[in-house]
């Protein structure tokens, strides 16, 4: 890597690519995140009901996703909005994993909850509002679970890498970076999707990078285009919100895809994945795509 990048990110030396460490592969169940396969994480913003979660899990699995997302602890903009089911939500996620075989990613908001969330989740999600909550990052690092670290909505790439470095410093090498959009003067989209950050992170860091087009766009009709851009920018995967009935979702319905929308988005990624030499070949997906035409 050119010296200038190393100088620029001097506070995060261990997250930068080197000849000894060209790429980190985060192993989750039988998945290798960052290992060349494109990994889709999909599911509702919040875990609401058993039916909602199971229906979504089965659908996204057929569509080619390998990880189920869903919040049991929700950082809401309003203190009066639904805050999540907590432990009951984690239990529903664990049942969905048993039934579907999907791995689970879910947010942990408080360091006190880390041991409980780590018992149920395969990946701990650190949300945008907590990217610089160092005591939470330390606790998440010590849990031994892989950490999905979302970029703070007002954080620079250097800030994101510093937080990743802190997790590595606490003995956990399994960090997945996530670009989810940042705040800018533009308010027509919920956040500004910083595709340049994806390209940069892929260029300078050995950590896997995934893109969250849902929280970036804020509007479901924009999500597939941002997902395709993420594939073109060499992201290792996606985190995308899917709900059986988005208009009735308890959170983030506006940006959630319904099942047909998810299928369409996934199908639209294929040519972009092919440019990278990638094909989603899970037999269930192939059969499902044939069935939906
Ligand atoms: C989420 O993934 O539902 C979420 C709250 O994301 P963010 O922290 O990026 O807003
Ligand atoms: Mn959400």
């Amino acid at each position: 890597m050119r010296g200038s990048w190393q100088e620029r990110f001097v506070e995060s030396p261990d997250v930068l690519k080197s000849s000894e460490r060209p790429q980190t592969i985060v192993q989750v169940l039988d998945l290798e995140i960052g290992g060349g396969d494109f990994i889709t994480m999909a599911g509702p913003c919040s875990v609401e009901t058993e039916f909602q979660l199971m229906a979504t899990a089965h659908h996204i699995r057929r569509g080619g996703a390998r990880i189920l997302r869903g919040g049991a602890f929700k950082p809401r903009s309003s203190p009066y909005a639904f805050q999540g089911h907590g432990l009951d939500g984690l239990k529903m996620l664990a049942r969905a994993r048993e039934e579907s075989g999907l791995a689970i990613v879910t947010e942990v908001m408080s360091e006190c909850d880390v041991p409980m969330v780590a018992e149920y989740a395969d990946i701990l999600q650190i949300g945008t509002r907590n990217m610089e909550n160092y005591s939470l990052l330390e606790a998440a690092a010590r849990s031994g679970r892989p950490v999905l670290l979302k970029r703070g909505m007002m954080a620079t790439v250097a800030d994101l890498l510093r937080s990743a470095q802190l997790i590595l410093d606490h003995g956990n090498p399994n960090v997945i970076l996530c670009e989810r959009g940042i705040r800018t003067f533009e308010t027509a989209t919920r956040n500004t999707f910083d595709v340049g950050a994806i390209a940069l992170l892929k260029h300078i860091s050995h950590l896997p990078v995934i893109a969250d087009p849902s929280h970036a766009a804020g509007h479901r009709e924009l999500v597939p285009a941002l997902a395709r851009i993420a594939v073109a920018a060499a992201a290792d995967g996606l985190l995308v919100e899917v709900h059986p009935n988005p208009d009735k979702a308890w959170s983030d319905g506006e940006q959630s895809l319904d099942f047909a929308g998810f299928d369409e988005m996934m199908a639209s990624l294929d040519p972009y994945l092919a440019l990278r030499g990638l094909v989603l070949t899970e037999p269930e997906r192939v059969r499902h795509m044939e069935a939906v035409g």
Side-chain angles (χ1 to χ4, degrees):
M1 186 183 309
R2 291 194 12 239
S4 60
W5 293 118
Q6 259 143 356
E7 281 156 29
R8 190 159 201 143
F9 300 108
V10 71
E11 290 165 310
S12 324
D14 300 325
V15 306
L16 300 182
K17 248 180 215 179
S18 63
S19 47
E20 302 87 68
R21 203 152 32 160
Q23 180 64 47
T24 287
I25 296 176
V26 175
Q27 181 90 36
V28 178
L29 304 183
D30 62 336
L31 305 170
E32 295 194 334
I33 304 168
D37 287 339
F38 190 78
I39 306 285
T40 301
M41 313 178 182
C45 180
S46 307
V47 173
E48 299 170 5
T49 65
E50 198 94 29
F51 168 78
Q52 170 236 25
L53 195 62
M54 295 301 169
T56 309
H58 288 300
H59 188 88
I60 62 156
R61 170 146 202 143
R62 284 197 297 274
R66 283 295 165 261
I67 300 182
L68 177 66
R69 61 144 293 144
F73 295 92
K74 293 308 302 176
R76 303 304 303 282
S77 303
S78 162
Y80 306 109
F82 174 59
Q83 306 291 314
H85 285 307
L87 179 59
D88 287 342
L90 295 176
K91 289 182 177 167
M92 284 194 237
L93 285 165
R95 278 196 293 278
R97 173 179 43 211
E98 254 169 59
E99 266 202 28
S100 67
L102 294 163
I104 301 295
V105 58
T106 194
E107 179 163 355
V108 57
M109 286 174 57
S110 149
E111 61 186 289
C112 314
D113 293 335
V114 166
M116 176 171 65
V117 179
E119 198 183 317
Y120 293 92
D122 300 292
I123 305 174
L124 300 183
Q125 177 173 322
I126 303 291
T128 191
R129 295 162 186 80
N130 272 318
M131 189 205 80
E132 288 178 311
N133 181 342
Y134 290 152
S135 47
L136 175 62
L137 296 182
E138 199 180 315
R142 292 192 196 285
S143 75
R145 291 283 186 207
V147 177
L148 173 69
L149 180 63
K150 289 190 134 192
R151 180 180 179 185
M153 63 182 93
M154 288 171 288
T156 63
V157 166
D159 297 332
L160 173 65
L161 294 181
R162 256 196 306 275
S163 290
Q165 174 75 39
L166 184 133
I167 299 171
L168 265 56
D169 283 344
H170 286 89
N172 190 335
N174 294 313
V175 178
I176 304 159
L177 304 172
C178 178
E179 163 60 33
R180 50 77 74 201
I182 51 173
R183 279 207 172 156
T184 66
F185 56 81
E186 179 58 77
T187 54
T189 47
R190 184 174 178 184
N191 290 284
T192 296
F193 188 46
D194 188 0
V195 72
I198 298 176
L200 176 59
L201 291 169
K202 287 303 300 173
H203 185 59
I204 61 175
S205 177
H206 56 80
L207 297 173
V209 177
I210 72 150
D212 172 351
S214 307
H215 290 84
H219 300 275
R220 75 180 71 103
E221 59 270 42
L222 306 180
V223 168
L226 299 193
R228 292 192 291 274
I229 292 164
V231 176
D236 296 293
L238 290 177
L239 180 73
V240 61
E241 288 185 337
V242 179
H243 192 285
N245 187 355
D247 292 336
K248 292 274 157 61
W250 299 4
S251 61
D252 285 351
E254 179 66 15
Q255 67 197 32
S256 299
L257 299 170
D258 64 12
F259 291 171
F262 177 70
D263 290 343
E264 264 172 53
M265 180 199 76
M266 292 300 281
S268 83
L269 300 183
D270 284 340
Y272 295 81
L273 288 166
L275 288 173
R276 289 172 50 186
L278 298 171
V279 201
L280 299 181
T281 52
E282 292 85 359
E284 280 169 272
R285 175 168 191 263
V286 173
R287 281 197 298 276
H288 178 66
M289 293 311 288
E290 280 165 6
V292 298

